[in-house]
Amino acid sequence: AMRSLQGKVVCAANDKTVAVEVIRLAPHPKYKRRVKKKKTYQAHDPTNQFKVGDTVQLEKRRPISKTKTFWAVPA
């Protein structure tokens, strides 16, 4: 199955590209408490419809460029 993630747009300055920050909970290696882990993904936005602060769904697709393998879809 294709991976789908949800996150918040943190940068929309580039043409047809948005940077999306995805937060997940993972157990701490020593203390076993769940801690927040953040990662930023570059996503394709062909119509430049998303602005900073929007919540988007990321769909895994074929690679578009060196850093972009996700498409941004409204959440």
Side-chain angles (χ1 to χ4, degrees), residues 5-42:
L5 303 168
Q6 188 168 358
K8 191 180 202 178
V9 176
V10 291
C11 179
N14 298 325
D15 188 34
K16 298 184 181 179
T17 303
V18 288
V20 180
E21 184 178 73
V22 175
I23 300 173
R24 65 183 181 87
L25 293 174
H28 188 278
K30 182 176 180 182
Y31 300 112
K32 309 304 180 202
R33 184 178 185 275
R34 296 193 335 162
V35 292
K36 287 182 180 179
K37 300 271 189 175
K38 295 180 185 178
K39 186 168 180 182
T40 305
Y41 295 94
Q42 299 292 320

Side-chain angles (χ1 to χ4, degrees), residues 26-67:
H28 188 278
K30 182 176 180 182
Y31 300 112
K32 309 304 180 202
R33 184 178 185 275
R34 296 193 335 162
V35 292
K36 287 182 180 179
K37 300 271 189 175
K38 295 180 185 178
K39 186 168 180 182
T40 305
Y41 295 94
Q42 299 292 320
H44 190 57
D45 178 18
T47 57
N48 292 319
Q49 64 180 345
F50 299 113
K51 307 292 179 226
V52 174
D54 292 349
T55 302
V56 296
Q57 193 85 18
L58 298 179
E59 289 183 356
K60 183 95 167 160
R61 300 225 185 141
R62 66 178 179 81
I64 298 149
S65 70
K66 182 180 176 182
T67 58

